[in-house]
Amino acid sequence: MSATTVHPPLVPRRTAAALGVLSVAAALGAGHLVAGLVSPVSSPFLAVGNSAIALAPQWLVDVAKSAFGTADKPVLLAGMALVLVGAAVGVGLLSRGRPQPGVRALVGLGLLGFAAVALSPAFTPVDLLAPAAAAGAGVLALRRLHALALPGTPRAGSGVDRRTMLVGTSALVGFGALAAGGLGQLLGSRLAGSREEVTARLARVALAERAPAIPAGAAFPELGTPTFLTPNADFYRIDTALRIPTQTAADWSLRVHGMVDRELTLTFDDLLARPLRERTVTMICVSNEVGDDYISTADFVGVDLREVLLEAGVAPGADQVLSTSSDGLWTAGTPLEVLLEPDRGALLAVGMNGEALPPEHGFPVRMVVPGLYGYVSATKWVTDLEVTTFDRKQAYWLQRGWGRLGPVKTQSRIDVPRSAGSAPAGAVTVAGIAWSQPVGISRVEVRLDDGPWADAELATEVGGDTWRMWRAVVDAAPGSHVVTVRATDANGVTQTEERAPVLPDGATGHHSVVFTAL
């Protein structure tokens, strides 16, 4: 008579996978909740994502921007979520017999979260509370659910059977994870009241300088160009933040230090007590491909940055202002000589199009520097300005192979007709935008197919710091056509036809559109 082999009880595969997912969900919810209480950027999930952005090679960043544009962050988060679901299923399957293998896997994930939080540029010791809470909640959830799911577990003393207890506990863990995560998100987004107060305060301020009114003939939106001022909701957004920093105006301060005669620390009230100036500025991302739409215009209100630097007293030999965002994830190196130009108009901006800065555009304070691409000038959520040299400190994008100075290049774009679109044969209206900061645009020309260049009609000029709309009429016979545009700046320099990629300091080349005349 052969001996009978006794197999230890195992949690069913599907049940084990579900328990792993619930345990990881509990960990994420607890971490997000504690992060909302202490520091939003200490959420382990977001910290890992931010580390991925910081450590990603430039070629991967370029691929993500090209493939997903401004949706690159949601895509990254979605990808991370899928990876976590897979890892959570693995945690559950490892724990079919005993919880220890899954616990060890959860601890490994927890250590990854600890490392990501600890390596964050804005790290403080209290930030470790979030990954600690995440690891603890995940382990506790897994142990409790495993004990209920393992066949042979005795009935609860209350008389409730094991299956009912498991289902109830699983539901409680799931809903608890969702509630904790949602509450953490809510706690980390406490800006509405602060923004409303700032908007109201700005409405009461007598501006030291007001931007000229936008003339009626400054844009041709009826033809298909953008409106001259871009609504805040439509303003392009490019930054490295997976989660928008949530500093209130009352908690904000700016440190100006480094190669200065006197270090300054400014609060938000200090800024509003200074002369506030309103300036209309077009901002362009260096990642704007020829014909792309990473360009917008707004009325910004703020403090003249040159005046702040002169008050601090710039030491000889300095050639850069290194600005840092409140989460420490973004740094930009701005040429000092540009910021000190008397007519450049660089701002520490607090308002945008008649209201406080939107959270995604830098509330409570951001930098705006006309004539420079954003990667060297447009730091949002700015809290630190260090006067230094390019040799001593390299900003985020400079470390990744981008150019040092980042001046905006003369460019033009066709908005109508649309690429691969159609229009009635005969007189076809062509319209678009052109820009060349800070000098402005003096001429725009269009060409149909291989014909001669012809002058376009320019919209009323608002200023050298803004885009300029244009329109023209071409005579198109039935069939397929190519229309091309080029612009000339106020100094008489025409944009180059030579194609260049965005790396290292901005794209060049003429924009062309293929359309069909019917």
Side-chain angles (χ1 to χ4, degrees):
M1 183 175 178
S2 60
T4 302
T5 302
V6 178
H7 295 283
L10 297 175
V11 176
R13 290 182 181 276
R14 289 185 179 180
T15 303
L19 300 188
V21 171
L22 285 171
S23 300
V24 171
L28 292 177
H32 214 58
L33 174 59
V34 174
L37 293 169
V38 297
S39 172
V41 295
S42 68
S43 168
F45 182 68
L46 296 179
V48 170
N50 286 328
S51 295
I53 292 175
L55 297 175
Q58 186 57 47
W59 66 265
L60 183 58
V61 174
D62 294 340
V63 168
K65 286 183 178 179
S66 176
F68 306 114
T70 55
D72 56 348
K73 296 179 187 65
V75 169
L76 172 61
L77 291 175
M80 288 173 55
L82 288 175
V83 171
L84 266 180
V85 169
V89 170
V91 166
L93 294 178
L94 285 173
S95 306
R96 293 185 64 202
R98 299 179 301 117
Q100 285 77 10
V103 168
R104 286 194 289 269
L106 282 175
V107 170
L109 291 174
L111 290 176
L112 181 63
F114 270 101
V117 170
L119 293 174
S120 169
F123 169 73
T124 59
V126 73
D127 291 344
L128 294 178
L129 291 175
V139 169
L140 287 174
L142 179 62
R143 285 187 174 278
R144 177 58 177 161
L145 292 172
H146 184 274
L148 291 171
L150 192 66
T153 302
R155 292 177 57 174
S158 60
V160 180
D161 66 86
R162 178 178 58 82
R163 181 177 178 82
T164 301
M165 193 73 171
L166 174 62
V167 171
T169 304
S170 297
L172 182 62
V173 171
F175 283 119
L178 287 174
L183 182 57
Q185 186 71 22
L186 182 64
L187 290 172
S189 304
R190 296 164 288 186
L191 292 181
S194 180
R195 284 196 68 245
E196 291 173 0
E197 179 188 356
V198 170
T199 297
R201 292 179 67 181
L202 291 176
R204 297 191 296 266
V205 171
L207 298 178
E209 176 187 339
R210 187 173 292 277
I214 306 300
F220 308 125
E222 69 281 2
L223 300 180
T225 71
T227 57
F228 193 85
L229 293 179
T230 308
N232 289 351
D234 298 331
F235 205 97
Y236 81 90
R237 178 192 169 193
I238 297 289
D239 52 59
T240 58
L242 283 178
R243 181 171 184 175
I244 296 169
T246 55
Q247 195 168 41
T248 64
D251 295 332
W252 178 87
S253 65
L254 174 71
R255 182 186 177 206
V256 184
H257 63 109
M259 298 174 66
V260 296
D261 297 333
R262 63 196 68 84
E263 185 173 315
L264 302 178
T265 299
L266 304 175
T267 66
F268 194 81
D269 286 341
D270 292 333
L271 285 189
L272 263 60
R274 291 168 175 259
L276 293 181
R277 308 179 188 281
E278 183 182 49
R279 290 166 181 160
T280 307
V281 179
T282 294
M283 300 186 70
I284 308 103
C285 179
V286 72
S287 296
N288 198 56
E289 299 279 1
V290 173
D292 215 338
D293 58 0
Y294 292 165
I295 177 171
S296 303
T297 300
D299 282 336
F300 290 99
V301 171
V303 170
D304 192 290
L305 181 50
R306 177 176 182 268
E307 295 176 0
V308 173
L309 293 174
L310 291 178
E311 181 178 332
V314 176
D319 61 10
Q320 173 189 213
V321 172
L322 185 74
S323 52
T324 305
S325 61
S326 61
D327 58 9
L329 299 175
W330 174 287
T331 56
T334 310
L336 182 61
E337 64 176 355
V338 172
L339 296 178
L340 294 180
E341 288 179 14
D343 299 325
R344 177 64 66 155
L347 291 173
L348 290 171
V350 297
M352 181 176 176
N353 287 336
E355 61 183 66
L357 291 170
E360 65 272 20
H361 291 297
F363 181 84
V365 182
R366 70 169 299 162
M367 287 175 60
V368 175
V369 184
L372 296 181
Y373 288 120
Y375 81 102
V376 297
S377 68
T379 301
K380 295 186 278 191
W381 317 292
V382 62
T383 56
D384 190 276
L385 297 178
E386 181 181 1
V387 179
T388 181
T389 68
F390 284 105
D391 291 337
R392 292 182 184 177
K393 294 286 183 72
Q394 285 198 334
Y396 180 90
W397 296 107
L398 196 59
Q399 295 173 29
R400 286 156 177 79
W402 292 83
R404 175 182 290 190
L405 304 180
V408 169
K409 297 178 178 179
T410 302
Q411 282 287 285
S412 51
R413 186 184 80 192
I414 299 169
D415 291 316
V416 288
R418 297 292 183 185
S419 179
S422 61
V428 176
T429 297
V430 185
I433 61 175
W435 60 94
S436 183
Q437 295 175 301
V439 298
I441 294 293
S442 65
R443 186 183 189 186
V444 171
E445 300 165 278
V446 297
R447 179 175 64 189
L448 186 66
D449 300 324
D450 294 323
W453 290 102
D455 285 329
E457 176 190 351
L458 295 177
T460 304
E461 185 176 30
V462 174
D465 293 335
T466 66
W467 53 19
R468 195 168 187 183
M469 314 298 181
W470 57 267
R471 62 185 174 188
V473 176
V474 297
D475 186 14
S480 179
H481 296 280
V482 178
V483 62
T484 306
V485 63
R486 69 181 184 186
T488 300
D489 70 17
N491 293 328
V493 180
T494 301
Q495 72 176 93
T496 179
E497 184 179 6
E498 182 180 351
R499 282 276 178 167
V502 296
L503 189 68
D505 58 0
T508 63
H510 293 168
H511 185 217
S512 297
V513 167
V514 178
F515 73 98
T516 302
L518 302 175

